[in-house]
Amino acid sequence: MQESSSRPSDNTVSEQQSVETVFNQLNATFATGKTLDTGWRKSQLTALKRLLEDESDALQDSLYKDLGKSKAESWTSEIGFLLSDIKHTLHCLKRWAKPRKVSTPLVAQPGKSYVIAEPLGTVLVIGAWNYPLQLILAPCIAALAAGNCVLLKPSELAPTTSSLIQKLIPRYLDNTAIAVIEGGKDETTDLLALPFDHIFYTGGEAVGKIVMQAASRHLSGITLELGGKSPCLVERSADIAVAARRIVWGKWMNCGQTCVAPDYIVVEACVKDALIAAIIKEIRAQYGKAPMTSADYGKIVNKRHLHRLESYLEGANIISGGQVDHERCVMAPTLVDDPAADSGLMQEEIFGPILPIVTTPQIFDSLVALKARPKPLALYLFTGSREIEEHVIRTVSAGSVCINDTMMFMTNPELPFGGVGNSGIGRYHGKAGFDQLSHLKAVMVRKFWLDVKLRYAPFSSWKLSALKKLL
Ligand code: NAD
């Protein structure tokens, strides 16, 4: 246990403490230099690991209450994901934190140059509800590894997980440096008024703009992990059975409420029927004859989102699914045939279990329309053709590209994760997260023993021509 663990949990952030008091306390801790010590950082990451291991049952229960997540899904996409992130970070921290030597040009000799990663200060992490544990703690891992103090604001739309996080964090971590504040719009607005050194936000685009505007008042750094419509292209040479299996896995995990879930399919007409048949077969294989009652199938986070999703189905050409259980907040895995380009389904991020299937004569034909849309967080392509694979990777912009699978790129901590354009600003996971929440400070150290006069006035024509050759 950390030094903080003996304190009662309500000693960290209680209702009585204003957000400003908490913020000042974190800044005061940062000013002591305590978090610069990599030993301290490792101790906090180890304590977080212990929290996840000791409390995994309670965490799984809370994820079930908030989102109907099965134990297996909670483990793979939240708890297990975080544990491997911590293990990787602990393994690499010494290397990431080491000064990074770079060469020094002739004009600056004798001298040496390097880059050191220094912590930013106090980082505000604002999480989203769909992976309410992973999305608040993964940025926290990066922030602690980089030596920052952290204030966590979990999503109020996953209330059980949010309150459990607030209860557990102070029990395990150093509560002079890591704090949790629960709440929704009002509390977040209060937090955003404070001059944080960095704000790490995960959520929708509209609030992302509010966060960016608030950050501009203090010139706080920002990371915006947003969403959007992630397309999934299926070309005729793909292995249709494997493609369908992987699409069903990626689309209906957490009931489609995943920022990198395939939002819609674009399929070549000649394999469309085969793909639809294979997807329907796979839904049955993975979730049984009645997916809505499967223990492995989650629920929609709340009634507002369920109604939003239902409205997308009005007048839609439903191929399969479409059933809704209002009481349990569940919608069946649903396939929709060729929705209109101007429909809600094709204009807004679906963020639910509806999968539109858009037909194209050839994948190449669909790329112009795809490139005219906002840049997606993820782009999926199923193909057996190297030429098409390379063309799409090279010419279509997206936060991440995954060929012949969905979402698997998230399992590789060596790959940076983040959006581009409307899908976000900045990146994290592994070293990318460490760098994102560090300032990469340039250092040059010179010597006194040689001081060439060339750069000093008075200047002459020979000095200028020598400088032109040297610089
Ligand atoms: P959300 O409703 O949980 O909101 C996110 C956070 O913003 C919450 O902590 C909430 O309290 C805060 N918030 C809400 N309204 C606010 C306001 N007016 N002012 C200040 N703060 C406010 O989550 P959401 O926005 O519904 O999340 C869904 C979106 O997030 C989707 O677009 C999805 O693609 C995206 N997302 C992205 C990632 C990623 O890693 N890139 C991950 C998950 C979700």
Side-chain angles (χ1 to χ4, degrees):
M1 283 260 163
Q2 299 309 304
E3 57 190 66
S4 56
S5 59
S6 55
R7 301 177 187 196
S9 63
D10 59 3
N11 204 16
T12 338
V13 182
S14 59
E15 275 99 329
Q16 305 93 303
Q17 285 179 296
S18 73
V19 292
E20 202 165 348
T21 312
V22 177
F23 175 71
N24 290 339
Q25 143 122 67
L26 297 178
N27 278 343
T29 303
F30 186 74
T32 65
K34 176 189 207 174
T35 64
L36 287 174
D37 174 19
T38 46
W40 179 88
R41 304 183 199 183
K42 282 184 175 171
S43 75
Q44 296 310 302
L45 292 170
T46 308
L48 191 53
K49 180 169 166 280
R50 203 164 49 241
L51 180 160
L52 292 165
E53 285 163 350
D54 292 355
E55 310 289 348
S56 67
D57 286 347
L59 290 165
Q60 281 171 323
D61 286 348
S62 73
L63 292 165
Y64 178 77
K65 280 193 190 120
D66 287 333
L67 288 145
K69 292 193 192 207
S70 67
K71 280 192 187 296
E73 199 175 302
S74 289
W75 184 266
T76 52
S77 66
E78 305 244 25
I79 301 164
F81 179 94
L82 290 164
L83 283 172
S84 61
D85 194 10
I86 294 174
K87 279 181 213 152
H88 178 72
T89 305
L90 283 170
H91 180 71
C92 300
L93 187 56
K94 196 170 157 204
R95 181 157 43 89
W96 296 343
K98 246 180 29 195
R100 304 169 196 183
K101 271 194 198 156
V102 293
S103 63
T104 302
L106 193 59
V107 282
Q109 295 292 352
K112 61 178 178 178
S113 309
Y114 56 93
V115 176
I116 55 167
E118 69 175 17
L120 296 170
T122 300
V123 175
L124 170 64
V125 178
I126 305 173
W129 53 265
N130 57 331
Y131 290 85
L133 191 67
Q134 190 218 115
L135 296 175
I136 199 81
L137 293 186
C140 177
I141 292 166
L144 291 176
N148 299 286
C149 289
V150 199
L151 201 159
L152 305 173
K153 210 299 289 172
S155 175
E156 72 281 15
L157 297 190
T160 324
T161 310
S162 171
S163 77
L164 188 59
I165 290 168
Q166 193 190 30
K167 197 170 100 188
L168 295 178
I169 289 284
R171 278 197 203 154
Y172 286 81
L173 301 189
D174 178 350
N175 62 23
T176 66
I178 303 119
V180 184
I181 287 190
E182 284 195 272
K185 183 182 167 190
D186 292 347
E187 291 76 6
T188 315
T189 305
D190 290 347
L191 285 168
L192 288 174
L194 298 168
F196 281 93
D197 296 290
H198 194 94
I199 303 172
F200 192 113
Y201 166 80
T202 303
E205 193 180 317
V207 177
K209 288 178 183 166
I210 296 173
V211 171
M212 195 163 175
Q213 207 165 24
S216 75
R217 284 199 286 275
H218 304 293
L219 292 179
S220 305
I222 48 162
T223 307
L224 300 179
E225 293 287 340
L226 310 178
K229 292 182 83 63
S230 296
C232 178
L233 315 178
V234 183
E235 191 264 337
R236 68 193 67 194
S237 64
D239 181 325
I240 297 296
V242 177
R245 191 172 310 132
R246 294 175 179 177
I247 289 168
V248 170
W249 171 76
K251 177 67 186 183
W252 284 287
M253 177 187 292
N254 200 23
C255 241
Q257 301 167 114
T258 305
C259 56
V260 286
D263 186 272
Y264 62 97
I265 302 270
V266 179
V267 60
E268 290 195 336
C270 58
V271 286
K272 179 183 175 185
D273 290 346
L275 180 71
I276 290 173
I279 289 178
I280 291 172
K281 189 173 161 209
E282 266 310 317
I283 292 172
R284 186 178 270 231
Q286 293 184 33
Y287 296 108
K289 275 187 200 156
M292 289 170 79
T293 57
S294 163
D296 295 323
Y297 191 67
K299 65 176 179 115
I300 305 303
V301 67
N302 58 32
K303 297 247 184 296
R304 181 170 63 83
H305 277 283
L306 186 66
H307 291 144
R308 177 182 62 81
L309 291 163
E310 272 185 296
S311 74
Y312 291 148
L313 296 182
E314 280 160 25
N317 188 3
I318 296 175
I319 305 168
S320 80
Q323 302 85 349
V324 174
D325 179 337
H326 290 102
E327 208 167 304
R328 290 172 47 241
C329 230
V330 179
M331 177 182 268
T334 300
L335 299 181
V336 171
D337 195 12
D338 273 319
D342 61 354
S343 62
L345 261 186
M346 290 310 294
Q347 288 298 314
E348 290 157 32
E349 180 182 2
I350 297 169
F351 220 55
I354 307 171
L355 183 60
I357 313 272
V358 176
T359 322
T360 184
Q362 289 203 348
I363 282 303
F364 279 113
D365 301 333
S366 68
L367 297 184
V368 176
L370 204 140
K371 286 188 232 175
R373 285 179 169 275
K375 294 174 181 179
L377 188 57
L379 168 67
Y380 302 112
L381 167 68
F382 288 87
T383 183
S385 156
R386 281 292 295 273
E387 188 197 342
I388 293 172
E389 172 188 321
E390 276 164 23
H391 180 79
V392 169
I393 292 173
R394 213 163 27 82
T395 63
V396 187
S397 183
S400 305
V401 180
C402 188
I403 306 295
N404 295 334
D405 212 326
T406 59
M407 308 206 309
M408 279 303 283
F409 64 93
M410 301 281 285
T411 61
N412 186 352
E414 301 292 337
L415 288 174
F417 174 64
V420 54
N422 289 43
S423 54
I425 296 173
R427 59 209 60 78
Y428 73 132
H429 289 181
K431 182 168 179 287
F434 177 89
D435 284 353
Q436 179 79 21
L437 296 174
S438 300
H439 166 57
L440 299 181
K441 185 159 73 181
V443 181
M444 180 181 273
V445 181
R446 303 279 335 269
K447 300 284 176 206
F448 288 120
W449 57 267
L450 182 67
D451 196 25
V452 180
K453 301 278 187 312
L454 201 58
R455 67 186 156 122
Y456 303 126
F459 294 109
S460 59
S461 54
W462 79 263
K463 270 192 176 181
L464 183 59
S465 61
L467 279 169
K468 278 183 179 171
K469 284 191 183 109
L470 276 171
L471 288 173

